Amino acid sequence: MSRRPPEPVQVVKQRRDAALAALVGSVPFISFLGVTFDRRGDELTAILPYRRDLIGNPMLPALHGGATAGFLEITALIGLSWGMLWEQVETGAVDVAALGEGWCPKLPKTIDFATDFLRSGLPRDAYARAEITRSGRRYASVRVEAWQDNRQRPHAQAIGHFVMPQGPMA
Amino acid sequence: MNKPDMEFVKTHFAKELPYVAALNMRFDELTEGVAVMTMPYDARLVGDPESGVIHGGAVSALMDTTCGAAVFSHPEASMGTATIDLRIDYMRAAKPGREITARAECYHVTRSVAFVRATATDGEGDTPVATATGAFTVDRAASEGKA
């Protein structure tokens, strides 16, 4: 039995980055808010770069709670979808070449989303990570935490429930 | 600090809060403890490219803003308020192309907390698009003119 040689690292990276970019790029609201994702292996950190457009209280100033809640919901949805897409791309079930322009992924649907505003959002970049606490065939529960300057002092957290899409993503 | 006239707030508030302006929200109604706001359909806010349905995150912003407005328009609350928590239930997808209107009611105010519920509709049928419940901060000293 012959063993396949490991793929060159740049091929692996290119495939994973292309899959993530296609997923994130398919959702207009993500670019409206300006959210980007930093990938380390399969782990994602969502980034919301500060813009004046995100301010809800110009007196303080503070980020709008709706911008923060939207950022967290995006983080949860991409976290869930990325989990599925990663699996399908790595096993070869989905070909990255099929994820081009005009690809409409089947995304999870939010059932409910509860955001806890722990601190006022500063006029600075924000970061968030999603933790999938349960992912079943039909439903998933996700916890999201967001922070700014200090990872130990989150400014918001959220719990959401989602209906999972069925079948391959592409 | 006296509260500004609600009619003045109604015309200026939506324009002066950058994120509210970015989403083109407008006030339909602002009376004591009740706010109604509308967010037009915008292709940039789409969350599901396949159906063209607006992202939940944009609906959250409409809900949060409308709930906050219901709080500060309440006679016993302060003008400055912040969201403590907001839970949104998404009952169905908003119809693509339709504007979404949220109606929020601040139904109870204590010395430190205002309780709010809201419903969002798109004019299609009787089932709302989403409902929300939230708790907001109240700065009673400010509202009583002691701050």
Side-chain angles (χ1 to χ4, degrees):
Chain A
M1 197 179 105
S2 69
R3 227 163 118 184
R4 277 200 307 171
E7 290 177 293
V9 64
Q10 62 270 30
V11 171
V12 177
K13 267 194 185 164
Q14 199 278 330
R15 177 177 64 230
R16 292 172 180 173
D17 288 342
L20 180 61
L23 175 65
V24 173
S26 73
V27 182
F29 185 64
I30 298 180
S31 42
F32 174 83
L33 205 57
V35 177
T36 58
F37 288 85
D38 183 32
R39 184 183 69 80
R40 292 287 177 265
D42 69 341
E43 186 198 60
L44 297 182
T45 305
I47 303 158
L48 177 64
Y50 173 71
R51 288 199 324 271
R52 202 189 123 69
D53 259 7
L54 303 176
I55 291 292
N57 183 335
M59 307 283 276
L60 288 174
L63 296 180
H64 193 290
T68 297
F71 175 49
L72 269 64
E73 193 174 330
I74 286 171
T75 306
L77 278 162
I78 291 299
L80 269 179
S81 312
W82 176 240
M84 293 186 296
L85 188 60
W86 168 278
E87 179 79 23
Q88 292 170 18
V89 165
E90 292 302 309
T91 57
V94 163
D95 181 4
V96 181
L99 313 181
E101 205 54 29
W103 171 53
C104 291
K106 283 188 213 159
L107 299 171
K109 294 202 187 326
T110 314
I111 302 167
D112 55 60
F113 202 76
T115 312
D116 241 340
F117 297 90
L118 306 168
R119 290 183 176 81
S120 150
L122 305 168
R124 294 208 252 292
D125 294 359
Y127 314 98
R129 277 192 201 141
E131 180 202 340
I132 300 163
T133 39
R134 180 189 182 264
S135 180
R137 208 169 53 81
R138 292 176 66 200
Y139 308 109
S141 303
V142 183
R143 222 183 72 79
V144 192
E145 202 168 72
W147 71 98
Q148 295 190 292
D149 294 341
N150 189 336
R151 180 73 176 91
Q152 300 311 312
R153 292 166 58 85
H155 68 296
Q157 61 181 3
I159 296 233
H161 298 94
F162 301 85
V163 177
M164 298 302 282
Q166 304 299 314
M169 291 193 68
Chain B
M1 185 185 93
N2 283 328
K3 279 199 189 181
D5 174 57
M6 285 303 145
E7 277 307 309
F8 176 84
V9 171
K10 224 170 116 173
T11 46
H12 287 76
F13 174 87
K15 279 178 236 153
E16 281 173 17
L17 307 191
Y19 195 58
V20 176
L23 292 166
N24 288 311
M25 289 183 213
R26 62 166 198 267
F27 266 110
D28 297 327
E29 240 183 272
L30 187 63
T31 51
E32 295 190 344
V34 176
V36 181
M37 294 188 84
T38 295
M39 181 174 70
Y41 183 82
D42 186 332
R44 296 174 304 161
L45 307 181
V46 166
D48 182 6
E50 198 170 22
S51 61
V53 169
I54 295 288
H55 197 281
V59 179
S60 290
L62 176 66
M63 289 294 213
D64 187 52
T65 310
T66 315
C67 286
V71 173
F72 72 60
S73 67
H74 194 285
E76 287 164 46
S78 51
M79 191 63 200
T81 183
T83 318
I84 298 169
D85 89 289
L86 187 70
R87 177 196 156 107
I88 302 181
D89 292 307
Y90 296 98
M91 279 123 97
R92 64 176 176 84
K95 195 166 180 184
R98 288 290 185 118
E99 57 183 25
I100 302 174
T101 298
R103 183 185 188 279
E105 181 198 356
C106 176
Y107 62 92
H108 186 66
V109 179
T110 72
R111 287 193 67 80
S112 45
V113 187
F115 297 89
V116 193
R117 52 184 162 231
T119 304
T121 52
D122 61 357
E124 288 281 320
D126 295 331
T127 310
V129 167
T131 57
T133 50
F136 286 71
T137 62
V138 170
D139 184 353
R140 186 54 71 91
S143 69
E144 287 171 357
K146 289 174 194 155

